[in-house]
Amino acid sequence: MATATSNIRSPSIILFGKGTVSYQRTAAPFQIPQFPLNRPRFTALFASLHDGNNNDDGSNKITKAVGLEELFEDSPYDVVSKDSPFHPRPLSSTQFSNSVSAGSRLRVAYQGVRGAYSEAAAEKAYPNCEAVPCDQFDAAFEAVEKWIVDRAVLPIENSLGGSIHRNYDLLLRHSLHIVGEVKLAVRHCLLANHGVRVEDLHRVLSHPQALAQCENTLTKLGLSREATDDTALAAKYVAFNKLKDTGAVASSSAAKIYGLNILAEDVQDDCDNVTRFLMLAREPIIPGVEKPFKTSIVFSLEEGPGVLFKALAVFALRQINLTKIESRPLRNQPLRASDDSNNGSKYFDYLFYVDFEASMAEERAQNALRHLKEFATFLRVLGSYPVDTTML
């Protein structure tokens, strides 16, 4: 809803895609500093810059992930960054797990304002982190790349709403690595200002997916629906404007933060509402075999009969289970002429995003990707990371 979203800006730090930090609707631009820099704090509202010396062993040199350099040594789409004194050493899976459990004070970007489900996911992924809100997904990616934050936690798919296509596109556009995943149960609440009853409401605000997930409940209540950029932003708008005829669908934590009353809990139509988030970092972790791992890749293929079947067969032949496959148009070349000159037809070019249950430390996974690389026109490993088993 344009009216709702245009009138509100969070009083806490928000990173904007166009490079602004402000309390107000208009703000002066700022220059995102380039690394390496020291670690000053500009204001109480601005996230501190990355030090660059917080590596586990005090070293600044990158160690290459096992088996990955050889796999892509002749490919322009290397999954391991080249050695650079400006980059930290990648964490091993053991070090990564320890850093999370120790509750190190990482700065973690998420999309939304305080009280968003993404904030809860960031805090679940990195306990005791400094959660940094961003107004758009793009801004969260850029905040990690520009060393403003250490990590980003962003949604990639929902059990009811499906894939978040925007973040699939951003994974390819940016050079960040997936270092983990976290699954969060989504429990929607109907919120309103104190003294407002359900029968007083005429409309409800929330994110489009949240409204869709509560379709049956909201229809029974006879409420009109208006979309905002974020569930927590809807709650904030209702609270700050002291609306008496408007409610919000958001989390219980948003109700506490913005002083709203919970009129109804669990208003989603399906109780099995889970969102999967990706944990993103500048450098990959070194894959291991001591726990269940998942690997995410993206590739493209030539057009032809059975080509996709051939690509998926490289995993089936090695007993590797695929957990997700997603296709997205290849944006810089959406249409290609058919090789059959007599036909004259054109077809769409696609990228295929695939998740499979294996670690890149396993020989079968390395062999599968070597096999795929023989006929794929493009191949990139987005990350090999521990599986979130907390909800299994």
Side-chain angles (χ1 to χ4, degrees), residues 297-335:
I297 64 172
V298 56
F299 61 89
S300 61
L301 302 166
E302 289 286 355
E303 176 68 14
V307 177
L308 180 57
F309 172 82
K310 183 179 177 182
L312 300 182
V314 306
F315 302 102
L317 290 171
R318 296 167 177 87
Q319 300 298 307
I320 296 176
N321 184 45
L322 304 185
T323 60
K324 184 174 178 64
I325 180 169
E326 181 81 22
S327 62
R328 297 289 297 151
L330 187 58
R331 295 199 168 208
N332 61 348
Q333 190 178 343
L335 284 173

Side-chain angles (χ1 to χ4, degrees), residues 3-4 11 63 68 120 161 229 251 273 306 317 323 327 357 381 383 390:
T3 305
T63 300
L68 300 185
D229 287 341
S251 65
N273 188 2
L317 290 171
T323 60
S327 62
E357 292 178 330
V381 176
T390 59

Side-chain angles (χ1 to χ4, degrees), residues 114-322:
R114 286 198 64 210
Y117 291 107
S118 291
E119 182 185 34
E123 292 172 347
K124 180 180 179 181
Y126 299 101
N128 197 37
C129 70
E130 179 186 347
V132 181
C134 303
D135 73 328
Q136 300 293 336
F137 293 132
D138 310 56
F141 274 85
E142 292 172 7
V144 180
E145 288 184 327
K146 300 298 183 181
W147 296 82
I148 296 175
V149 298
D150 303 293
R151 303 282 192 274
V153 174
L154 298 172
I156 195 66
E157 62 178 327
N158 176 266
S159 58
L160 302 181
S163 299
I164 291 86
H165 294 137
R166 177 61 177 164
N167 284 336
Y168 274 106
D169 296 337
L170 290 173
L171 281 172
L172 189 64
R173 181 181 303 176
H174 296 269
S175 58
L176 300 184
H177 302 267
I178 305 173
V179 296
E181 66 174 4
V182 60
K183 297 173 183 174
L184 185 74
V186 177
R187 300 183 61 185
H188 293 308
C189 300
L190 179 60
L191 313 179
N193 283 296
H194 288 276
V196 176
R197 301 169 301 172
V198 174
E199 49 267 31
D200 298 328
L201 299 179
H202 298 294
R203 64 172 180 159
V204 63
L205 310 179
S206 195
H207 187 275
Q209 278 205 1
L211 294 174
Q213 292 164 9
C214 304
E215 177 75 22
N216 294 337
T217 302
L218 299 178
T219 299
K220 290 178 182 178
L221 295 175
L223 300 175
S224 63
R225 279 136 268 181
E226 297 185 31
T228 60
D229 287 341
D230 182 62
T231 56
L233 184 63
K236 182 177 180 179
Y237 181 78
V238 170
F240 277 33
N241 289 277
K242 298 180 173 57
L243 300 177
K244 299 298 183 183
D245 64 343
T246 303
V249 172
S251 65
S252 57
S253 62
K256 294 177 183 178
I257 291 171
Y258 302 113
L260 295 176
N261 184 36
I262 299 177
L263 297 179
E265 294 182 319
D266 294 324
V267 294
Q268 64 271 7
D269 299 333
D270 193 322
C271 61
D272 294 325
N273 188 2
V274 177
T275 298
R276 175 175 168 248
F277 293 80
L278 297 180
M279 301 149 68
L280 304 174
R282 287 178 290 274
E283 297 299 331
I285 62 171
I286 298 175
V289 294
E290 73 282 355
K291 61 178 68 174
F293 262 69
K294 179 184 292 184
T295 300
S296 297
I297 64 172
V298 56
F299 61 89
S300 61
L301 302 166
E302 289 286 355
E303 176 68 14
V307 177
L308 180 57
F309 172 82
K310 183 179 177 182
L312 300 182
V314 306
F315 302 102
L317 290 171
R318 296 167 177 87
Q319 300 298 307
I320 296 176
N321 184 45
L322 304 185

Side-chain angles (χ1 to χ4, degrees), residues 97-120:
S97 300
N98 290 341
S99 69
V100 174
S101 61
S104 55
R105 190 68 172 169
L106 293 173
R107 295 178 300 282
V108 181
Y110 69 92
Q111 187 275 326
V113 299
R114 286 198 64 210
Y117 291 107
S118 291
E119 182 185 34

